[in-house]
Amino acid sequence: MGSQSAVSPLLRSLSRPHGFEPLRVEGRLPESLRGTLFRAGPGLFERFGASLSHAFEADGAVTAVRFDGRGAQGACRIVESAGYRAEEEAGRFLFNSAASWLDRMRAARRGTAKTTGNTSTFFWQDRLFALMEGGLLQEMNPDTLDTLEATDLGVVTGAFSAHPHRVASLRTTFNFGVRYSQKMLIDLYALPDAGVPSKLGTVEAPWLSMVHDFMATERHLILFVGPVKLNLLRAMLGLSDFTKLFQWKPELGARLIVVPLNDIQAPRTFELDAFWTWHFANAFEDEGGPCIDLCHYPEFTLDGIGELEDEGPPPLLTRLHLDLKTGKVRETKLFDVSCEFPQLHPRVHGGRYGTLFAQTERRSGGQKHPGITRIALDGGKGAEWAVPAEHVPSEPVLVPRGEAEDDVFVLDLVYDTKSDHSYVAVLDGQHVEDGPVATVHFDHPIPVTFHGGFAAAS
Protein backbone atom coordinates (compact mmCIF):
# COMPACT_ATOMS: atom_id res chain seq x y z
CA MET A 1 0.00 0.00 0.00
CA GLY A 2 2.96 2.24 -0.34
CA SER A 3 6.60 2.27 0.61
CA GLN A 4 8.28 3.18 3.84
CA SER A 5 9.33 6.45 2.23
CA ALA A 6 5.72 7.55 1.62
CA VAL A 7 4.86 10.84 3.29
CA SER A 8 1.44 9.95 4.69
CA PRO A 9 1.58 8.14 8.04
CA LEU A 10 -1.35 6.08 6.79
CA LEU A 11 0.98 4.36 4.34
CA ARG A 12 3.99 3.55 6.46
CA SER A 13 4.97 0.91 8.94
CA LEU A 14 6.10 1.67 12.47
CA SER A 15 9.79 2.52 12.19
CA ARG A 16 10.82 1.93 15.80
CA PRO A 17 8.74 -0.19 18.19
CA HIS A 18 9.73 0.46 21.80
CA GLY A 19 8.61 0.28 25.41
CA PHE A 20 7.99 3.24 27.68
CA GLU A 21 10.68 5.92 27.53
CA PRO A 22 10.76 9.63 28.43
CA LEU A 23 9.24 11.99 25.87
CA ARG A 24 10.23 15.58 25.21
CA VAL A 25 7.68 18.08 26.56
CA GLU A 26 7.18 21.61 25.26
CA GLY A 27 5.04 23.90 27.39
CA ARG A 28 3.69 22.91 30.79
CA LEU A 29 1.65 19.76 31.34
CA PRO A 30 -1.37 20.19 33.65
CA GLU A 31 -0.59 18.65 37.02
CA SER A 32 -4.07 17.09 37.18
CA LEU A 33 -3.56 15.20 33.89
CA ARG A 34 -2.66 11.76 35.23
CA GLY A 35 -3.18 8.50 33.41
CA THR A 36 -2.45 6.89 30.05
CA LEU A 37 -3.58 7.72 26.54
CA PHE A 38 -3.92 4.57 24.42
CA ARG A 39 -4.25 4.62 20.61
CA ALA A 40 -4.42 1.84 18.00
CA GLY A 41 -4.01 1.71 14.26
CA PRO A 42 -2.37 -0.26 11.45
CA GLY A 43 1.33 -0.69 12.21
CA LEU A 44 2.84 -2.94 9.53
CA PHE A 45 2.04 -2.37 5.87
CA GLU A 46 4.96 -4.38 4.53
CA ARG A 47 6.35 -7.73 5.68
CA PHE A 48 8.28 -10.50 3.99
CA GLY A 49 8.90 -8.25 0.97
CA ALA A 50 5.18 -7.87 0.21
CA SER A 51 2.76 -4.95 0.63
CA LEU A 52 -0.85 -5.00 1.78
CA SER A 53 -3.82 -3.80 -0.24
CA HIS A 54 -5.49 -1.87 2.59
CA ALA A 55 -4.90 -0.50 6.07
CA PHE A 56 -7.60 -2.75 7.52
CA GLU A 57 -5.39 -5.79 6.77
CA ALA A 58 -2.28 -4.54 8.58
CA ASP A 59 -1.05 -5.87 11.90
CA GLY A 60 -1.88 -3.31 14.56
CA ALA A 61 0.34 -1.03 16.58
CA VAL A 62 -0.70 0.25 20.00
CA THR A 63 0.70 3.59 21.13
CA ALA A 64 0.60 4.80 24.72
CA VAL A 65 1.52 8.06 26.43
CA ARG A 66 1.64 8.03 30.23
CA PHE A 67 1.14 11.35 32.06
CA ASP A 68 2.15 11.67 35.72
CA GLY A 69 1.49 15.35 36.39
CA ARG A 70 5.11 16.32 35.77
CA GLY A 71 6.22 14.67 32.54
CA ALA A 72 5.31 11.94 30.08
CA GLN A 73 6.57 8.60 28.86
CA GLY A 74 5.64 6.98 25.56
CA ALA A 75 5.61 3.50 24.07
CA CYS A 76 4.59 1.97 20.76
CA ARG A 77 4.51 -1.75 20.03
CA ILE A 78 3.27 -4.05 17.30
CA VAL A 79 0.35 -6.31 18.22
CA GLU A 80 2.09 -9.71 18.12
CA SER A 81 -1.04 -11.86 17.90
CA ALA A 82 -1.07 -15.62 17.48
CA GLY A 83 -1.55 -15.08 13.73
CA TYR A 84 1.36 -12.67 13.62
CA ARG A 85 3.58 -15.17 15.41
CA ALA A 86 2.52 -17.97 13.05
CA GLU A 87 3.49 -15.80 10.08
CA GLU A 88 6.84 -14.94 11.65
CA GLU A 89 7.54 -18.66 12.10
CA ALA A 90 6.44 -19.43 8.53
CA GLY A 91 8.33 -16.48 7.06
CA ARG A 92 5.37 -15.37 4.94
CA PHE A 93 1.86 -13.94 5.09
CA LEU A 94 -0.79 -16.55 5.89
CA PHE A 95 -4.08 -14.67 6.38
CA ASN A 96 -4.57 -11.63 4.12
CA SER A 97 -4.51 -10.55 0.48
CA ALA A 98 -0.70 -10.66 0.41
CA ALA A 99 -0.79 -14.36 1.34
CA SER A 100 -0.72 -17.00 -1.39
CA TRP A 101 -4.06 -18.27 -2.63
CA LEU A 102 -3.26 -21.68 -1.15
CA ASP A 103 -2.57 -20.21 2.30
CA ARG A 104 -5.76 -18.16 2.12
CA MET A 105 -7.73 -21.28 1.20
CA ARG A 106 -6.21 -23.19 4.12
CA ALA A 107 -7.15 -20.42 6.54
CA ALA A 108 -10.70 -20.28 5.13
CA ARG A 109 -11.13 -24.06 5.35
CA ARG A 110 -9.94 -24.13 8.97
CA GLY A 111 -11.98 -21.06 9.87
CA THR A 112 -8.86 -19.36 11.24
CA ALA A 113 -8.13 -15.65 11.07
CA LYS A 114 -5.69 -13.16 12.52
CA THR A 115 -6.76 -10.85 15.34
CA THR A 116 -4.77 -7.81 14.23
CA GLY A 117 -5.95 -5.31 16.87
CA ASN A 118 -5.46 -2.52 14.33
CA THR A 119 -8.50 -0.28 14.90
CA SER A 120 -9.10 0.67 18.53
CA THR A 121 -8.16 0.18 22.16
CA PHE A 122 -10.61 -0.69 24.92
CA PHE A 123 -9.82 -0.34 28.62
CA TRP A 124 -12.24 -2.28 30.82
CA GLN A 125 -11.91 -3.42 34.43
CA ASP A 126 -8.18 -2.52 34.41
CA ARG A 127 -7.56 -4.65 31.31
CA LEU A 128 -6.37 -3.32 27.96
CA PHE A 129 -7.54 -4.77 24.65
CA ALA A 130 -6.65 -4.00 21.04
CA LEU A 131 -9.70 -4.38 18.82
CA MET A 132 -10.45 -4.91 15.13
CA GLU A 133 -13.56 -5.40 13.00
CA GLY A 134 -13.81 -9.17 12.85
CA GLY A 135 -11.89 -10.86 15.65
CA LEU A 136 -11.71 -11.55 19.35
CA LEU A 137 -10.35 -9.12 21.90
CA GLN A 138 -6.54 -9.07 21.75
CA GLU A 139 -5.36 -8.45 25.29
CA MET A 140 -2.30 -6.26 25.90
CA ASN A 141 -0.35 -5.52 29.07
CA PRO A 142 -1.22 -1.88 29.90
CA ASP A 143 2.04 -1.40 31.82
CA THR A 144 4.39 -2.64 29.07
CA LEU A 145 2.26 -3.02 25.89
CA ASP A 146 3.41 -6.62 25.64
CA THR A 147 0.94 -8.74 23.66
CA LEU A 148 -0.95 -11.30 25.74
CA GLU A 149 -3.50 -13.83 24.46
CA ALA A 150 -6.69 -13.15 22.54
CA THR A 151 -9.84 -13.70 24.60
CA ASP A 152 -13.58 -14.15 24.12
CA LEU A 153 -14.29 -13.04 27.71
CA GLY A 154 -16.30 -16.23 28.01
CA VAL A 155 -19.22 -14.85 25.95
CA VAL A 156 -18.05 -13.64 22.52
CA THR A 157 -19.27 -16.00 19.82
CA GLY A 158 -17.05 -15.01 16.92
CA ALA A 159 -16.17 -11.32 16.79
CA PHE A 160 -16.13 -8.24 19.00
CA SER A 161 -16.26 -5.00 17.03
CA ALA A 162 -13.82 -2.12 17.39
CA HIS A 163 -16.54 0.31 18.57
CA PRO A 164 -17.83 -0.47 22.05
CA HIS A 165 -20.00 2.29 23.51
CA ARG A 166 -20.67 2.99 27.17
CA VAL A 167 -23.96 4.37 28.49
CA ALA A 168 -22.93 6.42 31.49
CA SER A 169 -26.26 6.22 33.34
CA LEU A 170 -26.30 2.41 33.06
CA ARG A 171 -22.61 2.04 33.99
CA THR A 172 -22.39 -0.50 31.18
CA THR A 173 -20.51 -0.74 27.89
CA PHE A 174 -22.29 -2.33 24.95
CA ASN A 175 -20.86 -3.82 21.77
CA PHE A 176 -21.66 -6.11 18.86
CA GLY A 177 -19.98 -8.71 16.67
CA VAL A 178 -20.82 -9.85 13.15
CA ARG A 179 -20.99 -13.44 11.90
CA TYR A 180 -21.29 -14.24 8.19
CA SER A 181 -22.90 -17.33 6.68
CA GLN A 182 -25.79 -17.35 4.25
CA LYS A 183 -27.14 -14.64 6.54
CA MET A 184 -25.45 -11.88 8.49
CA LEU A 185 -25.98 -12.30 12.22
CA ILE A 186 -25.19 -9.52 14.69
CA ASP A 187 -24.46 -10.63 18.26
CA LEU A 188 -25.02 -8.08 21.05
CA TYR A 189 -22.98 -7.84 24.26
CA ALA A 190 -23.08 -5.99 27.58
CA LEU A 191 -20.02 -5.37 29.77
CA PRO A 192 -20.88 -3.75 33.12
CA ASP A 193 -18.34 -1.54 34.86
CA ALA A 194 -18.39 -4.10 37.67
CA GLY A 195 -19.42 -7.71 37.14
CA VAL A 196 -19.25 -10.22 34.32
CA PRO A 197 -20.00 -9.67 30.62
CA SER A 198 -23.03 -11.22 28.94
CA LYS A 199 -24.38 -11.92 25.50
CA LEU A 200 -27.73 -10.18 25.15
CA GLY A 201 -28.92 -11.91 21.99
CA THR A 202 -28.64 -11.93 18.21
CA VAL A 203 -30.42 -10.04 15.43
CA GLU A 204 -30.39 -10.72 11.69
CA ALA A 205 -29.35 -8.11 9.13
CA PRO A 206 -31.33 -7.68 5.88
CA TRP A 207 -28.30 -8.45 3.69
CA LEU A 208 -24.59 -9.25 3.95
CA SER A 209 -22.99 -5.88 4.64
CA MET A 210 -20.36 -4.16 6.74
CA VAL A 211 -21.46 -2.92 10.16
CA HIS A 212 -18.69 -0.67 11.38
CA ASP A 213 -20.16 1.30 14.28
CA PHE A 214 -23.39 1.42 16.28
CA MET A 215 -24.96 3.41 19.10
CA ALA A 216 -26.46 2.79 22.53
CA THR A 217 -28.91 4.71 24.71
CA GLU A 218 -30.57 4.01 28.05
CA ARG A 219 -33.30 2.02 26.25
CA HIS A 220 -32.02 0.94 22.85
CA LEU A 221 -29.13 -0.36 20.78
CA ILE A 222 -29.11 1.12 17.25
CA LEU A 223 -27.41 -0.74 14.39
CA PHE A 224 -26.71 0.81 10.97
CA VAL A 225 -26.76 -1.40 7.88
CA GLY A 226 -25.70 0.61 4.83
CA PRO A 227 -26.27 -0.20 1.16
CA VAL A 228 -23.02 -2.12 0.85
CA LYS A 229 -22.96 -5.81 -0.05
CA LEU A 230 -20.26 -8.36 0.74
CA ASN A 231 -19.33 -10.95 -1.87
CA LEU A 232 -19.18 -13.81 0.61
CA LEU A 233 -18.02 -16.47 -1.85
CA ARG A 234 -15.05 -14.42 -2.99
CA ALA A 235 -14.24 -13.62 0.62
CA MET A 236 -14.37 -17.28 1.67
CA LEU A 237 -12.28 -18.42 -1.31
CA GLY A 238 -9.75 -15.62 -0.96
CA LEU A 239 -10.31 -14.52 -4.55
CA SER A 240 -10.18 -10.75 -3.95
CA ASP A 241 -8.25 -8.28 -1.87
CA PHE A 242 -10.15 -6.47 0.85
CA THR A 243 -10.98 -3.41 -1.23
CA LYS A 244 -12.94 -5.48 -3.78
CA LEU A 245 -15.08 -7.50 -1.37
CA PHE A 246 -17.68 -4.78 -0.74
CA GLN A 247 -19.85 -3.07 -3.37
CA TRP A 248 -21.94 0.09 -3.05
CA LYS A 249 -25.61 -0.71 -3.84
CA PRO A 250 -27.57 2.55 -3.36
CA GLU A 251 -30.76 0.95 -4.66
CA LEU A 252 -30.96 -1.00 -1.38
CA GLY A 253 -31.30 2.12 0.71
CA ALA A 254 -30.07 2.08 4.32
CA ARG A 255 -31.50 0.49 7.46
CA LEU A 256 -31.49 1.37 11.13
CA ILE A 257 -32.23 -1.60 13.36
CA VAL A 258 -33.45 -0.39 16.76
CA VAL A 259 -33.20 -3.06 19.45
CA PRO A 260 -34.99 -2.51 22.79
CA LEU A 261 -32.75 -3.39 25.72
CA ASN A 262 -35.76 -4.85 27.55
CA ASP A 263 -36.79 -7.02 24.57
CA ILE A 264 -33.80 -7.94 22.40
CA GLN A 265 -35.90 -10.24 20.22
CA ALA A 266 -38.26 -7.44 19.14
CA PRO A 267 -36.16 -5.09 16.96
CA ARG A 268 -37.70 -2.35 14.82
CA THR A 269 -36.30 -1.59 11.36
CA PHE A 270 -36.35 1.91 9.84
CA GLU A 271 -35.81 2.34 6.09
CA LEU A 272 -33.86 5.36 4.83
CA ASP A 273 -32.43 6.66 1.57
CA ALA A 274 -28.93 5.47 0.72
CA PHE A 275 -26.06 6.96 2.74
CA TRP A 276 -23.04 5.76 4.67
CA THR A 277 -21.55 6.44 8.07
CA TRP A 278 -18.30 5.29 9.59
CA HIS A 279 -18.81 6.84 13.01
CA PHE A 280 -21.56 7.90 15.37
CA ALA A 281 -21.26 10.78 17.81
CA ASN A 282 -23.97 9.89 20.33
CA ALA A 283 -27.60 8.89 20.71
CA PHE A 284 -30.22 9.70 23.32
CA GLU A 285 -33.90 9.16 24.04
CA ASP A 286 -36.25 11.95 22.96
CA GLU A 287 -40.00 12.29 22.88
CA GLY A 288 -41.24 9.70 20.38
CA GLY A 289 -37.99 7.75 20.07
CA PRO A 290 -34.19 7.87 19.87
CA CYS A 291 -32.14 10.64 18.27
CA ILE A 292 -28.92 9.48 16.62
CA ASP A 293 -26.05 11.82 15.71
CA LEU A 294 -23.58 10.62 13.08
CA CYS A 295 -21.11 11.67 10.38
CA HIS A 296 -23.18 11.41 7.19
CA TYR A 297 -21.47 10.43 3.91
CA PRO A 298 -23.46 10.42 0.66
CA GLU A 299 -21.76 7.19 -0.42
CA PHE A 300 -19.35 4.44 0.64
CA THR A 301 -15.64 4.24 -0.14
CA LEU A 302 -12.70 2.39 1.33
CA ASP A 303 -10.25 5.01 0.07
CA GLY A 304 -8.74 7.52 2.46
CA ILE A 305 -9.68 5.65 5.65
CA GLY A 306 -8.46 7.73 8.57
CA GLU A 307 -8.51 10.94 6.56
CA LEU A 308 -11.31 13.30 5.58
CA GLU A 309 -12.18 12.96 1.90
CA ASP A 310 -10.30 15.14 -0.60
CA GLU A 311 -13.11 15.21 -3.16
CA GLY A 312 -16.88 15.03 -3.24
CA PRO A 313 -19.39 16.09 -0.59
CA PRO A 314 -17.81 16.09 2.90
CA PRO A 315 -19.13 14.07 5.84
CA LEU A 316 -21.51 16.30 7.79
CA LEU A 317 -22.70 15.94 11.37
CA THR A 318 -26.34 14.89 11.07
CA ARG A 319 -29.13 14.03 13.52
CA LEU A 320 -31.74 11.37 12.76
CA HIS A 321 -34.96 11.68 14.80
CA LEU A 322 -36.77 8.33 14.97
CA ASP A 323 -40.51 8.13 15.65
CA LEU A 324 -41.26 4.70 17.11
CA LYS A 325 -45.01 5.14 16.60
CA THR A 326 -45.08 6.14 12.95
CA GLY A 327 -41.83 4.51 11.78
CA LYS A 328 -40.75 7.81 10.21
CA VAL A 329 -37.30 9.42 10.32
CA ARG A 330 -36.59 13.15 10.32
CA GLU A 331 -33.12 14.41 9.41
CA THR A 332 -31.38 17.57 10.68
CA LYS A 333 -27.94 18.88 9.75
CA LEU A 334 -26.12 19.95 12.92
CA PHE A 335 -22.86 21.43 11.60
CA ASP A 336 -21.88 22.69 8.15
CA VAL A 337 -18.15 21.90 8.22
CA SER A 338 -16.68 18.53 7.29
CA CYS A 339 -16.17 16.56 10.48
CA GLU A 340 -15.19 13.10 11.67
CA PHE A 341 -14.21 11.19 14.83
CA PRO A 342 -16.69 13.02 17.12
CA GLN A 343 -16.20 12.70 20.88
CA LEU A 344 -18.04 13.97 23.97
CA HIS A 345 -17.66 14.13 27.74
CA PRO A 346 -17.96 10.58 29.15
CA ARG A 347 -20.57 11.80 31.65
CA VAL A 348 -23.16 12.23 28.89
CA HIS A 349 -22.49 9.13 26.76
CA GLY A 350 -25.84 7.64 25.75
CA GLY A 351 -27.81 10.64 27.07
CA ARG A 352 -28.75 14.20 26.18
CA TYR A 353 -25.80 16.46 25.50
CA GLY A 354 -24.95 19.82 24.01
CA THR A 355 -21.22 19.84 23.22
CA LEU A 356 -18.89 17.62 21.26
CA PHE A 357 -15.35 17.76 19.90
CA ALA A 358 -14.30 16.50 16.47
CA GLN A 359 -11.61 16.48 13.83
CA THR A 360 -12.74 19.02 11.24
CA GLU A 361 -11.62 20.28 7.87
CA ARG A 362 -12.42 23.60 6.25
CA ARG A 363 -11.75 24.04 2.54
CA SER A 364 -11.00 27.23 0.65
CA GLY A 365 -9.15 28.03 -2.55
CA GLY A 366 -8.38 24.38 -3.13
CA GLN A 367 -6.65 24.13 0.24
CA LYS A 368 -7.56 21.98 3.26
CA HIS A 369 -7.45 23.49 6.73
CA PRO A 370 -7.69 20.82 9.44
CA GLY A 371 -8.72 21.59 12.96
CA ILE A 372 -9.87 20.22 16.29
CA THR A 373 -13.20 21.85 16.95
CA ARG A 374 -15.55 22.25 19.90
CA ILE A 375 -19.05 22.14 18.41
CA ALA A 376 -21.87 23.67 20.45
CA LEU A 377 -25.21 22.01 19.71
CA ASP A 378 -27.08 23.78 22.51
CA GLY A 379 -26.60 27.34 21.32
CA GLY A 380 -23.33 27.84 23.17
CA LYS A 381 -20.07 29.09 21.73
CA GLY A 382 -17.94 26.84 19.54
CA ALA A 383 -14.20 27.14 19.02
CA GLU A 384 -11.44 25.63 16.87
CA TRP A 385 -7.75 24.94 17.09
CA ALA A 386 -6.46 25.45 13.57
CA VAL A 387 -3.86 22.71 13.25
CA PRO A 388 -0.55 24.03 11.86
CA ALA A 389 0.06 23.68 8.15
CA GLU A 390 1.39 20.27 7.12
CA HIS A 391 0.41 18.72 10.45
CA VAL A 392 -2.09 15.83 10.37
CA PRO A 393 -4.42 15.49 13.38
CA SER A 394 -6.34 12.42 14.51
CA GLU A 395 -9.39 11.57 16.60
CA PRO A 396 -9.47 13.74 19.74
CA VAL A 397 -9.59 11.93 23.09
CA LEU A 398 -11.32 13.68 25.98
CA VAL A 399 -10.14 13.48 29.59
CA PRO A 400 -12.78 14.75 32.07
CA ARG A 401 -11.66 17.56 34.35
CA GLY A 402 -15.02 18.72 35.70
CA GLU A 403 -18.74 18.17 35.19
CA ALA A 404 -19.29 20.72 32.43
CA GLU A 405 -19.29 19.15 28.97
CA ASP A 406 -16.40 21.32 27.78
CA ASP A 407 -14.42 20.97 31.02
CA VAL A 408 -12.00 18.44 29.60
CA PHE A 409 -8.46 18.04 28.42
CA VAL A 410 -8.40 17.26 24.71
CA LEU A 411 -5.54 14.98 23.65
CA ASP A 412 -4.73 14.68 19.97
CA LEU A 413 -1.97 12.63 18.35
CA VAL A 414 -0.59 14.74 15.49
CA TYR A 415 1.87 13.92 12.71
CA ASP A 416 4.29 16.68 11.62
CA THR A 417 5.11 16.05 7.97
CA LYS A 418 8.01 18.54 7.99
CA SER A 419 10.00 17.02 10.82
CA ASP A 420 8.60 13.50 10.24
CA HIS A 421 7.65 12.86 13.84
CA SER A 422 4.47 12.61 15.92
CA TYR A 423 3.41 14.44 19.04
CA VAL A 424 0.45 14.64 21.40
CA ALA A 425 -1.18 18.06 21.65
CA VAL A 426 -2.75 18.78 25.06
CA LEU A 427 -5.62 21.26 24.71
CA ASP A 428 -7.89 22.92 27.25
CA GLY A 429 -11.40 22.05 26.11
CA GLN A 430 -12.75 25.41 27.31
CA HIS A 431 -10.07 27.32 25.39
CA VAL A 432 -9.41 25.14 22.35
CA GLU A 433 -8.78 28.19 20.17
CA ASP A 434 -5.68 29.04 22.21
CA GLY A 435 -3.89 25.95 20.94
CA PRO A 436 -1.96 23.40 23.00
CA VAL A 437 -0.96 24.18 26.56
CA ALA A 438 1.73 21.54 26.04
CA THR A 439 2.98 19.15 23.37
CA VAL A 440 4.59 15.78 24.04
CA HIS A 441 6.98 14.56 21.34
CA PHE A 442 8.04 11.16 20.06
CA ASP A 443 11.34 11.14 18.16
CA HIS A 444 9.76 9.23 15.28
CA PRO A 445 6.50 9.07 13.30
CA ILE A 446 3.55 7.03 14.56
CA PRO A 447 1.51 5.33 11.81
CA VAL A 448 -2.07 6.57 11.64
CA THR A 449 -4.21 5.66 14.63
CA PHE A 450 -7.96 5.31 14.27
CA HIS A 451 -9.35 5.15 17.80
CA GLY A 452 -8.33 5.00 21.44
CA GLY A 453 -9.10 6.21 24.91
CA PHE A 454 -7.74 7.37 28.23
CA ALA A 455 -7.28 5.34 31.39
CA ALA A 456 -7.13 7.59 34.45
CA ALA A 457 -4.47 6.80 37.04
CA SER A 458 -5.90 4.93 39.99
Side-chain angles (χ1 to χ4, degrees):
M1 205 184 151
S3 67
Q4 290 278 52
S5 61
V7 172
S8 172
L10 179 63
L11 304 179
R12 47 197 311 188
S13 296
L14 178 63
S15 59
R16 187 173 73 84
H18 58 86
F20 282 97
E21 58 188 33
L23 300 180
R24 178 172 59 88
V25 176
E26 294 183 0
R28 184 172 182 177
L29 287 172
E31 186 176 347
S32 61
L33 179 60
R34 296 172 181 265
T36 305
L37 169 70
F38 293 107
R39 302 285 298 165
L44 291 178
F45 290 92
E46 296 178 332
R47 291 173 68 197
F48 316 117
S51 300
L52 300 176
S53 67
H54 197 273
F56 282 175
E57 293 190 307
D59 292 283
V62 173
T63 299
V65 177
R66 184 183 295 152
F67 300 89
D68 62 10
R70 301 180 303 278
Q73 293 187 323
C76 191
R77 289 194 180 279
I78 297 298
V79 179
E80 298 182 1
S81 65
Y84 170 92
R85 294 194 299 268
E87 290 177 332
E88 287 293 294
E89 184 175 349
R92 66 182 188 278
F93 282 115
L94 299 175
F95 298 102
N96 49 36
S97 63
S100 70
W101 184 81
L102 182 58
D103 281 328
R104 281 183 280 170
M105 284 293 292
R106 286 172 179 156
R109 187 170 62 250
R110 295 169 183 166
T112 57
K114 182 167 57 170
T115 302
T116 60
N118 65 8
T119 308
S120 184
T121 63
F122 175 45
F123 195 78
W124 176 71
Q125 294 190 1
D126 297 325
R127 299 170 69 180
L128 174 66
F129 305 95
L131 304 180
M132 61 173 289
E133 289 296 301
L136 299 177
L137 300 87
Q138 177 59 64
E139 190 159 7
M140 311 287 289
N141 185 322
D143 297 323
T144 63
L145 294 192
D146 290 340
T147 305
L148 305 177
E149 297 300 319
T151 176
D152 63 6
L153 296 179
V155 297
V156 177
T157 302
F160 190 83
S161 96
H163 287 88
H165 286 285
R166 182 174 182 268
V167 177
S169 63
L170 300 180
R171 299 184 59 81
T172 299
T173 298
F174 298 93
N175 203 7
F176 70 96
V178 172
R179 287 182 286 142
Y180 295 103
S181 57
Q182 296 304 311
K183 301 177 180 179
M184 188 172 85
L185 302 177
I186 305 173
D187 300 311
L188 305 173
Y189 303 101
L191 291 82
D193 290 357
V196 298
S198 62
K199 181 177 178 179
L200 300 176
T202 301
V203 298
E204 182 180 327
W207 55 79
L208 302 182
S209 185
M210 176 193 292
V211 181
H212 182 75
D213 197 359
F214 84 121
M215 208 63 248
T217 73
E218 296 172 337
R219 301 178 193 170
H220 298 95
L221 304 181
I222 299 109
L223 302 159
F224 171 76
V225 182
V228 171
K229 292 197 78 172
L230 168 69
N231 189 320
L232 183 62
L233 180 61
R234 295 187 71 83
M236 292 178 63
L237 296 179
L239 297 177
S240 297
D241 66 45
F242 183 83
T243 61
K244 298 176 181 177
L245 293 178
F246 295 92
Q247 289 186 313
W248 175 246
K249 298 285 188 179
E251 64 274 14
L252 294 173
R255 302 288 188 274
L256 283 175
I257 303 175
V258 181
V259 185
L261 283 171
N262 63 357
D263 192 357
I264 296 295
Q265 300 307 317
R268 288 278 305 278
T269 298
F270 289 75
E271 298 186 6
L272 302 92
D273 292 336
F275 76 97
W276 182 255
T277 186
W278 286 107
H279 301 118
F280 291 88
N282 194 32
F284 59 91
E285 297 295 334
D286 198 11
E287 183 178 354
C291 288
I292 303 106
D293 296 348
L294 50 81
C295 297
H296 183 289
Y297 289 81
E299 61 184 37
F300 169 85
T301 177
L302 280 169
D303 297 327
I305 299 299
E307 300 175 336
L308 295 173
E309 294 298 319
D310 290 332
E311 301 177 357
L316 295 178
L317 187 65
T318 302
R319 175 167 294 172
L320 303 178
H321 310 252
L322 306 189
D323 191 319
L324 294 174
K325 291 183 179 179
T326 66
K328 294 182 178 181
V329 181
R330 180 166 54 91
E331 181 177 306
T332 304
K333 294 292 187 295
L334 299 177
F335 193 59
D336 60 1
V337 175
S338 177
C339 100
E340 253 293 4
F341 302 115
Q343 297 291 314
L344 55 147
H345 194 298
R347 180 180 63 79
V348 292
H349 283 182
R352 289 184 178 273
Y353 75 112
T355 301
L356 61 80
F357 295 79
Q359 178 186 338
T360 55
E361 187 175 271
R362 301 179 187 272
R363 304 175 188 180
S364 63
Q367 299 294 315
K368 300 187 299 181
H369 305 283
I372 301 299
T373 301
R374 186 181 74 237
I375 302 171
L377 304 178
D378 57 2
K381 183 180 178 182
E384 177 184 328
W385 172 47
V387 177
E390 299 187 61
H391 289 213
V392 182
S394 62
E395 171 195 65
V397 173
L398 308 189
V399 182
R401 186 175 54 188
E403 289 296 301
E405 291 184 44
D406 63 354
D407 195 5
V408 295
F409 295 119
V410 182
L411 308 182
D412 202 81
L413 182 62
V414 181
Y415 172 62
D416 182 344
T417 65
K418 292 182 179 179
S419 62
D420 194 29
H421 87 287
S422 297
Y423 65 91
V424 174
V426 181
L427 304 161
D428 181 336
Q430 295 180 325
H431 303 282
V432 171
E433 68 279 10
D434 293 341
V437 299
T439 53
V440 178
H441 297 259
F442 287 88
D443 63 6
H444 59 87
I446 302 292
V448 68
T449 61
F450 294 136
H451 303 289
F454 188 84
S458 55

